[in-house]
Amino acid sequence: MSIWYNHVRTRIRLRALTDNYALIRTRASNPAPVIKSDAYGHGIREVARAFFAAGARTMAAGTVGEAAVLKDTTPESEVLSLLGPIDAADYALVCEHDIIPFAGSTEQLLLLEEAAGKAGVPVRVALKFDTGMSRLGFSADEAGSVADTLDGLTHVRPVMACSHLATADDPAQDEYVQEQAQRFEGILHALHARGLGVQGSLANSGAIFGHPRTHHDLQRPGISLYGGNPFHGTSRAALGQGLRQGMDVVSRLVQVRTIPAGQSVSYGRTFTAEREMRIGIIAAGYADNYSRGLSSKAQMLVRGRRVDVLGRVCMQLTAVDLGPAPEAVVGDEVHMLGGQGANAISVEELAGWWGTISYEVFCLLGQNQREYVD
Ligand SMILES: *Cc1c(COP(=O)(O)O)cnc(C)c1O
């Protein structure tokens, strides 16, 4: 929670998240909630406790440091670190907290062996393969040499093989999902043939809802748990029906004024009133991670009505047109995200105005002070 000095509040409904988890369990056999980046801005500890109470016994954090927090919060759950260890402190933490790190290089396996030897404990690893993201992981053709390396280690125990899909949420790129899925099946086959009894994990949210063949033993839902529809705006949008957003972002109306025709609003005078207008000033701006890119593009919710942002978003203030909400008064709560009823602002809609994706909106707005309701 880094933005403590402003008025914006991020309100989290954990119940929506656990309902999403229950929905995902009707589609996938063994989903491990992905709680990286402070649970996509929803709060790692609160979210982990909620999913644990809802039945999750394996969860995935991003960095090893985050995984240690997760393990500390729900000690009875298995905890994966999707990023894996990158410095000496990480290697020590993995052993100390019995974390299952993703490991995608020979160097990592050797350093894990060394750290586990020093700590006098076995360490379980999830072998990370690159099947098409060109990011972290062993190459798809390295399964044999990885098995050779593991043969020489005594403390490192491979329990899982993993990879990540690049296009699971895009129906126009199904073929690439199939390519990656086939490569992954080849890897699993090669590891099993070497006597390594690893589980397979490939599916993210898009694949959970759209590609059952990629489910294997463990699935890794992220955005769908937080109510983002991985297929928003595509021909498969209906697959995400029933997911509920668990984050609302609110602030306050701090001034109401009437401006005459011809009067400009905010820095740079990018908006000028064509007629007399009642405008509202909201205590929210780019210092709250409400992006300046939303200038003259976004809408907010005042008294349940949609109002347009006028001119430039400032550091801690934003102007809106109160025309649709004439009864609004100073002190009213204003929604930048979420809200009640048909006018509620979805994360995808806000992301569209912002020129980004739901993931980034959650991560950034989630850095405001959070409140937990229900
Ligand atoms: C973030 C992440 C996920 C979750 O992806 P979503 O699209 O949010 O469901 C799964 N696996 C890995 C490795 C990730 O980094």
Side-chain angles (χ1 to χ4, degrees), residues 29 34 36 51 54 73 78 84 105 131 148 166 197 225 234 253 334 351 355-356 368:
S29 59
V34 173
K36 68 183 181 213
F51 285 141
T73 306
E78 299 288 3
S105 73
T131 57
D148 290 340
L225 286 170
T234 76
L253 184 53
V334 174
T356 184
N368 288 289

Side-chain angles (χ1 to χ4, degrees), residues 34 36 40 82 128 135 164 204-205 220-223 359:
V34 173
K36 68 183 181 213
Y40 290 46
L82 299 174
K128 171 78 186 252
R135 223 170 49 172
H164 195 43
N204 56 1
S205 293
R220 307 187 305 268
I223 195 68
Y359 300 67

Side-chain angles (χ1 to χ4, degrees), residues 65-86:
E66 240 186 338
V69 171
L70 191 48
K71 191 77 182 183
D72 178 60
T73 306
T74 53
E76 287 158 68
S77 68
E78 299 288 3
V79 170
L80 302 163
S81 160
L82 299 174
L83 254 62
I86 56 175

Side-chain angles (χ1 to χ4, degrees), residues 30 45 53 55 151 163 190 199 207 211 222 280 328 331 370 373:
N30 186 24
R45 288 185 187 274
D151 280 346
S163 191
Q199 294 197 324
H211 299 281
R370 285 187 294 255
V373 295

Side-chain angles (χ1 to χ4, degrees), residues 8-349:
V8 171
R9 295 291 178 270
T10 294
R11 211 167 272 160
I12 307 291
R13 284 179 305 277
L14 293 170
R15 184 61 198 275
L17 273 48
T18 51
D19 284 353
N20 294 334
Y21 176 66
L23 176 70
I24 289 164
R25 279 173 60 160
T26 68
R27 313 285 171 93
S29 59
N30 186 24
V34 173
I35 312 190
K36 68 183 181 213
S37 302
D38 211 7
Y40 290 46
H42 293 68
I44 184 168
R45 288 185 187 274
E46 292 82 357
V47 168
R49 280 187 213 108
F51 285 141
F52 187 82
R57 290 296 175 268
T58 303
M59 298 192 250
T63 61
V64 169
E66 240 186 338
V69 171
L70 191 48
K71 191 77 182 183
D72 178 60
T73 306
T74 53
E76 287 158 68
S77 68
E78 299 288 3
V79 170
L80 302 163
S81 160
L82 299 174
L83 254 62
I86 56 175
D87 59 21
D90 283 351
Y91 286 95
L93 274 179
V94 163
C95 299
E96 189 184 329
H97 292 274
D98 196 20
I99 290 160
I100 306 172
F102 276 36
S105 73
T106 304
E107 191 196 4
Q108 276 181 320
L109 292 179
L110 297 177
L111 288 171
L112 282 166
E113 172 76 5
E114 191 187 320
K118 253 190 232 160
V121 294
V123 59
R124 294 170 295 166
V125 299
L127 302 168
K128 171 78 186 252
F129 286 87
D130 173 41
T131 57
M133 278 286 281
S134 306
R135 223 170 49 172
L136 293 178
F138 297 104
S139 300
D141 58 11
E142 286 185 290
S145 69
V146 171
D148 290 340
T149 303
L150 288 166
D151 280 346
L153 306 181
T154 52
H155 303 288
V156 174
R157 317 248 162 99
V159 293
M160 203 180 290
C162 311
S163 191
H164 195 43
L165 295 166
T167 63
D169 55 1
D170 181 1
Q173 301 202 63
D174 279 351
E175 246 175 68
Y176 199 68
V177 176
Q178 298 317 324
E179 258 179 59
Q180 284 197 262
Q182 266 167 29
R183 250 173 245 142
F184 188 68
E185 284 162 25
I187 290 162
L188 273 184
H189 191 260
L191 294 172
H192 290 163
R194 290 287 302 264
L196 297 174
V198 291
Q199 294 197 324
S201 177
L202 180 60
N204 56 1
S205 293
I208 287 168
F209 285 88
H211 299 281
R213 176 184 154 189
T214 65
H215 284 193
H216 295 282
D217 304 293
L218 179 130
Q219 306 80 35
R220 307 187 305 268
I223 195 68
S224 51
L225 286 170
Y226 305 101
N229 180 353
F231 291 114
H232 175 80
T234 76
S235 57
R236 291 199 187 117
L239 290 177
Q241 241 164 35
L243 293 170
R244 286 171 56 213
Q245 201 170 297
M247 181 188 288
D248 276 9
V249 179
V250 300
S251 190
R252 302 240 159 236
L253 184 53
V254 293
Q255 186 150 20
V256 174
R257 64 193 313 127
T258 301
I259 60 170
Q263 176 63 48
S264 61
V265 176
S266 192
Y267 290 116
R269 308 188 67 203
T270 59
F271 176 83
T272 299
E274 285 175 4
R275 55 192 155 72
E276 187 178 277
M277 290 177 84
R278 220 164 146 262
I279 69 169
I281 308 302
I282 315 298
Y286 56 78
D288 306 287
N289 286 348
Y290 191 74
S291 173
R292 188 169 175 278
L294 293 164
S295 297
S296 292
K297 287 191 180 142
Q299 297 181 333
M300 296 189 190
L301 220 52
V302 177
R303 301 239 162 178
R305 240 89 26 85
R306 290 291 186 103
V307 299
D308 291 330
V309 167
L310 300 178
R312 293 220 175 118
V313 171
C314 305
M315 192 180 289
Q316 296 176 304
L317 294 171
T318 298
V320 297
D321 175 6
L322 287 181
E327 72 282 33
V329 293
V330 167
D332 277 358
E333 186 171 276
V334 174
H335 279 82
M336 278 108 69
L337 176 67
Q340 303 282 308
N343 279 337
I345 297 170
S346 74
V347 67
E348 288 91 1
E349 193 175 18

